[in-house]
Every structure is written in structure tokens, then in C-alpha cells.
Amino acid sequence: MGLAPTYLGSVMSQIIVNGLMLSATYALIALGITLIFAIMNVMNFAHGQMYVLGGFMVYYTYGVWHWPFALSLLVAALVVAAVGLILERFFFRSVLRRSRREESTMLLAVGTALLLDSLALALFGEKQRGVPDVVSGVYHLAGAYIPARRLLIFAIAAVLTTAFIVFINYTRPGRALRAIAQDRETAALQGVDVTRYSALGFGLGAALSGLAGGLLISTDAINSGAGNLISIKAFIMIMIGGAGVVSGAIAGALVLAFSEAIGYYFIPGSLPYLLILTGLIVFLLFRPQGIMGRRWG
Amino acid sequence: MSLLQVSSLSKRFGGLQAVDNMSFEVRAGEILSVIGPNGAGKSTLFKMIAGALKPNSGEIYFDSRRITGQPQHIVAQKGVVRTFQETTIFREMSALEHVVIAHHLQATSGAWGAFVNSGRSRREEEAIRQSAAEILNYLGLGHVQNEAAKNLPHGYLRALGIAMALAAKPKLLLLDEPFAGMNPEETDRAIEMVRGICMRGVTVLLVEHDMRAVMRISHRIVAVSFGRKIAEGSPQEIQNNPSVIEAYLGREDDELGI
Amino acid sequence: MNRLLGPLIGLALYLGIVPLLIHGSSYWLTVFINISLLAFTSLGVWLTFYIGRINIAQGAFALIGGYAVAVLTTLHGWPFWLALPMAGLVAGLVGGVVGSTILRLRGVYFAMLTLCLTEATRLLALNWTGVTQGASGIIGIPTPFGGDSSYLQAYFFSALLLLAGLLAIWRITQCRMGRVFRALQAHEDLAASIGINVAQYRVLAFSIACAFGGLGGAVLTVFLQSIYPTSFNVTNSTDFMLYCFLGGLQFVLGPAVGALVLFLGFQLLSALGSYQALVYAILMVLAMLLLPNGLLSLRFSVRQKSMREGQV
Ligand SMILES: Nc1ncnc2c1ncn2[C@@H]1O[C@H](COP(=O)(O)OP(=O)(O)OP(=O)(O)O)[C@@H](O)[C@H]1O
Ligand SMILES: [Mg+2]
């Protein structure tokens, strides 16, 4: 009660700023996993591992070898996309051809996550890694502090998210991907090369996750075991927003980012996530299809 | 005497009024058919009666007891059992196993007895198997009872659906397009089968597009269009009802055959 | 009788020959104790699959069982033999409550949510310091196995527990309940249409599954004599699931075979040092690609092939 209005105002704007900064990068993660799910009906349990891979690519190229940040982001995206393409080609495609049962692909996705986890551990070690600031300085806006590096990450992520939405809505490959997401068989009948576009979608989805990792390593450190936690965040977002829907991914990213911003501002430690997960279960009780999703099952 | 009473029943899907203020009743012992063009709301009506969908408004009474909005298994317990329009099966299981499972409501021995395989539960199990085999034989499926359902031809699966429903010992049987996809001989046999079921004291409410079959089998008919009841009466009356004819006019295949 | 021969031989081997062979090696006894208990815990995941749900929450229920037994024995002085069933009961009840809400989801949605549940339970254990002591965990849990032969006792106890678990699950699949569960796996709506109370049966199955998790976690905890919020985590939850899948979902023995092969395989790879986990993961993914129906399908396909050839 004794809080001065200006203080309250600055708390509010700090939370809004933090939430917004985070939401753009989270949107990349959620868009990636939702894209893969929409076109292949594969829930990518290795999504967080792809994020970790992207993060470490930036760690080595930018942090260790001092390449330009933009170049190292590009490399991260390409490498993770390549990993995604390889996984699609040699793992998922054959299993999908053999059986359309959800369990088989899910099992494989879990196995892939495990594989990438141990690969990351073998390649990158256990240490927590971060990179030097890309830009320095702090801005002050409406009572909130905005570190310049966070602002930069936000700007890049927001541009990428916008670019993705434009791509998916207004370009030929984007329309093909949407057609596949709607109905594989119909898309094939309309002459869409389903196999090739599925691979493209998988690679693109993986790249988005890798980009998110590459961006966030410059503000939050990363370690090779972080994959599962990021996957859990991705799951939370698409369950909140609704799986397989672009607008749902964005909605989920906003909800999670702001929940984190609010939670971590007021409550220390790991309690916020416990509350977020509990909230998720309660939310799904009332809206099992998520905010934007259609009802399933 | 009326066995089922539907009054002012409505169901909306988003902007679509699938069932609109529908009222009718089913008398004990009769075969009542619901007819109407595709998308008229017949299956939606059935699902609401069977408890698979909750209506937005209106009431359903069965045996003078209110069953509106009750879950499927409760409605089934009370004696209303439906079959599915789309062929719906437990893919990997044998035909016999389907019907054995459908005896679920008949099993009275406790779960623990079944778990430890007590004498009582073994005897009950045996009786259920017997009864399942009988039902399959009655519906002409005896010779394929050990075949996995996924390997059975379409016509057999429709009959299997009815066999399962019968095993649940319904007082009112809801059949959603039981003759769909059957050739004339199969339909003739199936008609006799449904008559036989009715003869055994099961009231039948049926949705069907095959007008020849409907006219032969039904005691009474309710015609619906765009979710609304447009006529009700004997097959004769329905055939000559102007609004029914109008509802079917302009359709490519003039199924009414008038 | 013929059908029982294989399992009986396996059983005799497991109860008689294994301890003889490895007698005195506390390392190998520990390995087999782990295998028995992990297999037992995985049986719960298997049962959840039996109603058509992919369960990645078993780590959570192992953790609940572990904390239940730890708190009851250390703080309240309960004897192990009383605390153990209580741990199963607690896990089963929690599973029932949680299950009655989350079991409405299916497919990958259920799988994702159960994974989140594992993480949520870890966070709960971390933050509910009044009961769990938070990150410092509960240590010095009394063990019922003592003396020179404590490892051997624990080995026999876990082997017998696994046996009882297998027997119970096998009976479930053979009786009416199992039939209903299979119906739920195949088509919930069709099951409901013939009068099966779908919600009640799937909660029942899930509660039993969670009770298995609680019991397994409790015994593992007592064996290790300590528990921390990370004792059973997301990795364990996925492991339990992988044991079931790789062993074979069509077979009650699946989780046991999966746990045996995978856990033993992991131990045998320890010579590879830092590449142990990587090689293990590669082999596992290969097994998934080459044996989509699990290890036990191998035996059956061999038998079917020889039958086919016999007919020619
Ligand atoms: N679950 C649903 N969600 C949205 N709309 C639905 C749903 N079920 C049915 N509908 C719509 O409601 C209308 C009535 O459908 P219903 O299946 O009851 O028709 P019907 O009379 O059985 O048709 P048919 O003869 O083709 O089986 C249709 O327009 C259908 O598209
Ligand atoms: Mg219909």
C-alpha cells in the first residue's frame, strides 16, 4: 500500500519490458516446434537440444573465434537446419512411412533428444557457457531499465518472427507448407511435393530453435544439459497457445514470457515455474485445445 | 406408451444450428426412422440422445426419467445404446472379443474376483462368452468370430456394431445408417435382422438414407431438414408430404423414389 | 503350459543363477537390484500405455513414493514394511487426483503434459522445504536390509517385487479390467457407447500405474538411503518410457526386458568412458529404427517366420 505511484509504474514498465524482450525469442522456439508438428505430426522432443546446439554454435563462432555476431547467427541457423534435415531424412521419414502411429514418431523424437543430449555433452562438455556482450549500454525508458544487448536480441528476434510470418503467409513455399499442414493428402493431390516440403519444414523449424539458442546465449548462459528444460518451455507454449497454429505459438510465447517476467520479478528461485506448470494444468482443464487451437482427439 | 421423449432439443456448432428445437417421441416396441438430407442433424440428434453430446437446450426423457446431458455410460446403463455412423471398431480385437467387451454392463462379479480368477468370475466369463457367440451367430457372424476386426469386410463390421449394441441389452437401440454401403441382398437380410430385434422387444430408432429400406421397415417416420422437424407420420404420409418432397427436391439422386 | 515355460525358465535364472554367478560382487548385485526396481517402475508406464496414453510422468511418482517413504521412516519413525505400502498408496492417490484432470488429454498432448508434471514435481520437492528439506534432501534413511548379506537381501527383495508386479499386471491384462483397458486404448468413444465408464477406468489404470511408480521409487530410495529433488527427473521418466517401448508394448514382459537390456547395456559400455552415453544413445536410436515393435518382437518374428517356412 505504501508504494509510491511512480515506483509502481516503474515496476509495471520493467515487467512489461522484460516480458516483451523475452517473448520475441520464445516466439521463435514456439513457432519452430509448432511448424514441425503441423506439417509432420511429430512432436519434436529434441527441440530444446536444437536450441542448445544453436547456442553453442554462437558460443564457438562468436565467443571463441570472434566472428561477427550476425555471421555466427547465420552459421548457427544453417548448422541446426542441417541437423534437422539429417534427422528428418534418416530418422523420421522412414518411420513415418512405416507407421502413422503417434507413438512411433514420438519415441523416436525422445530417442533423438537423448542422442543430441549426449552428443552435446561429448562435444561441448558440462560447463555453463556465455558470450561477451554484443553491444553495451543501458537504456532507461518509462522507469524501466533496458540493457542494450537485450534490446538488440529482441529486435533481431522480432524481425525474424515477422519474417517467418510473412514467409508462411505470402510466399509460395509458405503456402505449400500451410497446405501440407491443413491436409497432407489434399496437398499432394494439388501437386505439392510433400516429401521435399516436409524436409524444408523440419529444417526450418529446427533452425528457428537454433536461432533462439544463438540469440539467448548472448543474454543468458547455456549448458549442454539445458535441452530438456527448453523443450518443456516449448511444450508449455504450444499447449497454452494450441499446437500447430501460428497464432497459438505467438500467444503461448507471450503468455509464458510475461508469466516468467512477473514471476521472477516478485518471487525468487524456482517457485515461479512451479506456479506456471500448475497454472498450465489448471488452464488445460478448462481449455484443453489451448487459446487458439482446435479441439483434438 | 412413449419410451423416449425429445422436447425442444437444440444444438449449435459455432454459427451452425445443427439441431433446432426438435420434439418427437418414440413409442415402446416400434421402429421409428429419422430421415433427412445430408447434414440435416440426424447424427447430432442421435449423439445427444445417447449422451455423447450435450444439447444447448431442450430435454430428453427415457422411460419417464430425465437423461438430458447425462454421460454416455449412464445413458447406456439405463438402456439407450447407439451404433456409429462411421464404422467404428477396436481394430486389433476379434469379433468375439468385441461382443464380449460389450457385455460389460452384464458383468456382476466383482473386479477383485475377476483379478484373482475366482470360480464365480470364471463361470460368469463363460456365460458371457456363450452369449456373445450366440449374438454373433444370430447376426450371421458366427463363422468369423475369431477374425480380427480390421480384417473383416465392411458389411460384417456394420453387423458387428449392431452385435455390440445388442450385447449391452438396450431397451432402445439407436442405429445410425445401419444399411449404408450394403448391396440389396445384404440390406434385405439386415432389414429382417432389425425386425427380429424389434420383435424381441427392443425399440428401434433409426437413421437411414436408403428410402426403400426405410419405407419397408418403419412403423413411423420423422423427417428433418436443416435441424428442424418438418414432418412426422406413417411411411405413407411421409411419402406424400409436400414439405418432405420439397426438402428432397433438387437433389441429384432422388432417394425418396416418389 | 508351454506358454509359461519361457517365463518360468527366465524366472529360475533370475532368482537362482544370477545371484550365484555374481555372488559377492556388490557392484553387480546393485546393477541387478536397479534393473528389478526400474523394471517394476516401468510396469506402471506400460499399464498407462495399455489404456492408450504415453506416460512420461513416472519419475514424478517415483519421487513422490521416495519422499513418502523417506519422510515416514525418518521423521515419523514408521517401519519400512509399513511405510512402503503407504508410499505406493500416496503415489496412487496423487495419481488418481492428477489423472482425473489430465487424462482428458490424449496423444502427444498427454505425453507433453506428463513430462511437464515430472518437472513440476521436482520443483515442488525443491520448494516444499517444510516436508522435503528442499535441495539438501533427506539422508540417512534406515534400510531394512542389514548385515553381510544386505545386497543379496535387497537383490531377492527387488526380484520378488518385480515378479509380483509382473504377475499383477499379467492378471490385469487377463481379466475383465484388462479387456476394458484394451477397449479404451482402441477407441474410447466406442467403449463409452456400450456402457463403460471411460473416465473412471482410465483413472483407475493411471492410479495403479502411479502406485507402481511410488513403490518402485520408494524401494530405490530406501536402497540408496537418500533422496533429493533430482533423484528422479525428466531423464528417468523418459527412461521408464523407453524401457517399455524398446522391450515391446505388446508384451507384459516388455518393460522388464527393456530395463534389463538397456540398463545392463549401459553398464557394459562403461569401458568407453566419456563416450558411454553417446554410444548408448546411438544404439538405442538404432534399435528404435530397426525394431519398431521392441526387442521381444524379435523372438516372435523368428517364430512366425519358421512357422511360415514349415508350412511350405
Ligand atoms: N462436432 C461438430 N462440430 C462442428 N460441426 C458439426 C459437428 N458435428 C456435426 N457438425 C455439423 O452439423 C451438421 C449436422 O451434422 P450431422 O452429422 O448431424 O448430419 P447428418 O444428418 O447425420 O448428416 P449425414 O446424413 O451426412 O450423416 C452438419 O452441417 C455438420 O457439418
Ligand atoms: Mg449422420
Side-chain angles (χ1 to χ4, degrees):
Chain A
M1 280 291 102
L3 298 175
T6 45
Y7 173 73
L8 256 182
S10 68
V11 166
M12 278 288 288
S13 44
Q14 189 66 56
I15 287 173
I16 290 174
V17 162
N18 291 356
L20 210 59
M21 298 282 123
L22 209 52
S23 62
T25 327
Y26 278 6
L28 291 179
I29 303 177
L31 284 171
I33 199 167
T34 225
L35 175 67
I36 295 177
F37 180 70
I39 58 159
M40 304 207 32
N41 203 21
V42 170
M43 191 47 71
N44 185 17
F45 275 74
H47 210 61
Q49 279 72 16
M50 289 164 173
Y51 170 101
V52 169
L53 193 60
F56 271 100
M57 287 333 290
V58 168
Y59 167 73
Y60 282 109
T61 54
Y62 170 73
V64 179
W65 302 330
H66 305 297
W67 294 9
F69 186 62
L71 181 62
S72 58
L73 266 187
L74 183 67
V75 169
L78 290 177
V79 167
V80 180
V83 170
L85 286 176
I86 292 172
L87 292 177
E88 194 277 336
R89 175 68 187 81
F90 294 105
F91 289 9
F92 290 100
R93 196 182 293 177
S94 57
V95 169
L96 275 172
R97 193 175 302 141
R98 199 164 51 209
S99 113
R100 284 229 144 262
R101 283 177 67 173
E102 233 168 13
E103 302 91 63
S104 2
T105 52
M106 219 200 75
L107 172 69
L108 191 62
V110 172
T112 312
L114 201 79
L115 180 63
L116 292 181
D117 248 347
S118 37
L119 196 65
L121 188 66
L123 289 177
F124 309 133
E126 289 178 351
K127 276 213 187 72
Q128 185 89 358
R129 301 290 192 186
V131 296
D133 285 356
V134 183
V135 288
S136 53
V138 174
Y139 299 102
H140 201 89
L141 182 88
Y145 291 94
I146 314 176
R149 59 199 161 98
R150 285 202 181 269
L151 194 61
L152 178 71
I153 298 311
F154 168 74
I156 299 176
V159 167
L160 287 172
T161 304
T162 316
F164 176 80
I165 291 172
V166 169
F167 166 78
I168 211 80
N169 280 307
Y170 301 111
T171 66
R172 249 181 84 85
R175 273 196 295 270
L177 287 176
R178 273 190 302 148
I180 295 176
Q182 282 257 316
D183 187 335
R184 260 184 115 73
E185 275 73 41
T186 315
L189 286 177
Q190 286 167 351
V192 175
D193 185 345
V194 174
T195 315
R196 240 186 59 210
Y197 277 109
S198 295
L200 172 74
F202 205 104
L204 191 59
L208 287 174
S209 187
L211 276 170
L215 287 170
L216 275 193
I217 193 179
S218 61
T219 55
D220 308 288
I222 206 170
N223 68 64
S224 57
N228 281 333
L229 283 180
I230 301 293
S231 291
I232 286 176
K233 288 190 186 193
F235 295 159
I236 295 174
M237 289 189 276
I238 61 170
M239 281 192 280
I240 291 175
V245 194
V246 168
S247 56
I250 310 264
L254 284 168
V255 171
L256 181 66
F258 276 90
S259 307
E260 276 189 24
I262 297 168
Y264 285 131
Y265 196 92
F266 292 110
I267 316 166
S270 54
L271 201 52
Y273 249 89
L274 180 58
L275 296 177
I276 289 174
L277 288 166
T278 315
L280 173 73
I281 294 178
V282 174
F283 167 76
L284 288 176
L285 244 177
F286 295 101
R287 211 171 154 79
Q289 72 272 40
I291 297 173
M292 302 289 181
R294 285 168 295 247
R295 207 186 171 78
W296 57 69
Chain B
M1 196 199 78
S2 103
L3 184 64
L4 181 83
Q5 246 180 317
V6 172
S7 62
S8 312
L9 205 61
S10 294
K11 179 74 189 176
R12 226 178 10 260
F13 293 117
L16 180 89
Q17 193 71 41
V19 172
D20 191 2
N21 202 20
M22 195 141 14
S23 304
F24 65 92
E25 55 179 56
V26 185
R27 298 172 195 154
E30 74 174 339
I31 299 179
L32 175 70
S33 293
V34 178
I35 63 168
N38 289 106
K42 308 178 295 290
S43 297
T44 306
L45 172 71
F46 265 35
K47 285 176 195 161
M48 286 192 286
I49 296 172
L53 268 180
K54 285 199 198 318
N56 292 116
S57 62
E59 297 292 346
I60 308 166
Y61 288 88
F62 177 71
D63 246 354
S64 316
R65 280 176 303 177
R66 183 172 176 276
I67 57 166
T68 323
Q70 292 189 349
Q72 272 192 90
H73 66 273
I74 300 284
V75 176
Q77 255 167 42
K78 292 187 173 159
V80 182
V81 179
R82 67 151 173 158
T83 64
F84 291 67
Q85 176 176 358
E86 322 76 34
T87 304
T88 306
I89 50 167
F90 304 130
R91 285 182 50 78
E92 311 288 331
M93 296 183 200
S94 71
L96 183 67
E97 210 176 347
H98 275 79
V99 186
V100 168
I101 289 178
H103 277 80
H104 182 73
L105 291 173
Q106 266 72 61
T108 52
S109 75
W112 180 253
F115 180 73
V116 298
N117 207 11
S118 71
R120 169 146 182 253
S121 111
R122 267 205 303 268
R123 279 190 298 279
E124 184 179 85
E125 215 32 31
E126 196 38 55
I128 284 178
R129 259 169 206 282
Q130 204 86 51
S131 156
E134 264 166 37
I135 292 175
L136 284 172
N137 278 329
Y138 174 66
L139 297 183
L141 293 171
H143 59 294
V144 292
Q145 62 174 32
N146 293 321
E147 203 66 43
K150 62 178 178 186
N151 299 328
L152 290 177
H154 176 82
Y156 283 19
L157 293 180
R158 308 261 0 142
L160 181 59
I162 299 176
M164 290 179 72
L166 283 183
K169 293 231 163 38
K171 292 188 196 132
L172 173 66
L173 180 60
L174 311 180
L175 299 174
D176 200 342
E177 304 199 10
F179 312 135
M182 290 188 178
N183 61 34
E185 294 100 81
E186 284 174 329
T187 307
D188 284 346
R189 252 191 322 230
I191 286 177
E192 282 320 307
M193 199 173 79
V194 173
R195 281 200 178 125
I197 291 168
C198 181
M199 227 73 107
R200 287 177 158 200
V202 179
T203 306
V204 177
L205 177 60
L206 152 118
V207 163
E208 187 49 63
H209 278 303
D210 182 341
M211 284 306 145
R212 200 178 59 98
V214 168
M215 294 304 160
R216 277 170 58 199
I217 199 176
S218 318
H219 298 128
R220 290 189 311 128
I221 296 175
V222 169
V224 298
S225 175
F226 294 110
R228 244 174 267 154
K229 182 171 94 175
I230 53 171
E232 179 175 356
S234 68
Q236 201 64 47
E237 288 162 358
I238 291 295
Q239 251 166 341
N240 299 322
N241 186 306
S243 41
V244 176
I245 296 171
E246 194 193 310
Y248 276 89
L249 262 183
R251 281 163 55 87
E252 295 279 306
D253 49 338
D254 192 9
E255 282 179 275
L256 259 184
I258 315 169
Chain C
M1 203 58 230
N2 236 341
R3 222 159 39 110
L4 286 178
L5 207 61
L8 280 178
I9 292 174
L11 178 71
L13 275 175
Y14 202 63
L15 280 181
I17 308 212
V18 168
L20 268 185
L21 280 180
I22 60 177
H23 186 53
S25 160
S26 58
Y27 170 75
W28 282 109
L29 279 173
T30 308
V31 166
F32 278 94
I33 290 163
N34 269 299
I35 289 173
S36 296
L37 296 175
L38 295 174
F40 179 86
T41 310
S42 307
L43 278 171
V45 181
W46 190 89
L47 190 66
T48 329
F49 182 78
Y50 210 63
I51 59 162
R53 295 291 193 286
I54 299 168
N55 178 356
I56 324 186
Q58 196 70 327
F61 292 96
L63 198 66
I64 290 171
Y67 271 109
V69 86
V71 168
L72 287 176
T73 52
T74 56
L75 259 58
H76 301 283
W78 285 36
F80 169 76
W81 301 109
L82 217 56
L84 179 64
M86 198 59 192
L89 196 66
V90 168
L93 285 176
V94 174
V97 172
V98 174
S100 60
T101 72
I102 67 171
L103 279 161
R104 302 195 327 181
L105 301 179
R106 292 180 206 182
V108 289
Y109 303 94
F110 184 80
M112 286 191 289
L113 196 62
T114 48
L115 189 73
C116 292
L117 201 59
T118 309
E119 182 62 9
T121 309
R122 178 184 75 85
L123 294 172
L124 182 65
L126 193 61
N127 285 287
W128 195 7
T129 42
V131 172
T132 64
Q133 332 255 309
S136 45
I138 300 176
I139 52 173
I141 299 165
T143 167
F145 314 113
D148 288 342
S149 62
S150 65
Y151 281 95
L152 206 60
Q153 289 167 24
Y155 173 84
F156 280 119
F157 178 70
S158 1
L160 287 174
L161 187 68
L162 173 61
L163 181 69
L166 282 169
L167 199 66
I169 297 285
W170 178 71
R171 272 311 305 162
I172 287 177
T173 63
Q174 297 301 304
C175 78
R176 197 169 72 227
M177 205 196 302
R179 214 155 56 206
V180 172
F181 290 170
R182 281 197 298 282
L184 297 189
Q185 184 194 117
H187 206 302
E188 289 188 356
D189 218 23
L190 182 56
S193 80
I194 46 174
I196 292 173
N197 186 344
V198 171
Q200 186 191 318
Y201 270 97
R202 64 190 179 200
V203 168
L204 174 68
F206 192 65
S207 300
I208 298 173
C210 295
F212 269 78
L215 287 172
V219 182
L220 274 163
T221 299
V222 166
F223 181 66
L224 295 169
Q225 295 192 278
S226 64
I227 186 157
Y228 305 93
T230 48
S231 289
F232 301 100
N233 52 29
V234 169
T235 312
N236 297 106
S237 280
T238 47
D239 278 347
F240 294 135
M241 187 199 86
L242 292 173
Y243 295 153
C244 296
F245 272 101
L246 281 172
L249 289 171
Q250 298 95 309
F251 317 98
V252 178
L253 274 177
V257 170
L260 179 74
V261 172
L262 288 179
F263 196 83
L264 207 57
F266 189 73
Q267 301 305 316
L268 293 174
L269 290 174
S270 65
L272 296 171
S274 59
Y275 292 103
Q276 178 186 19
L278 185 57
V279 175
Y280 172 76
I282 291 174
L283 290 178
M284 176 130 80
V285 171
L286 280 179
M288 286 174 193
L289 290 172
L290 302 176
L291 296 170
N293 292 318
L295 296 164
L296 281 174
S297 67
L298 208 59
R299 185 175 143 263
F300 280 76
S301 60
V302 167
R303 182 185 287 177
Q304 269 165 15
K305 208 167 140 204
S306 59
M307 262 165 60
R308 240 181 288 128
E309 279 160 2
Q311 280 170 357
V312 174

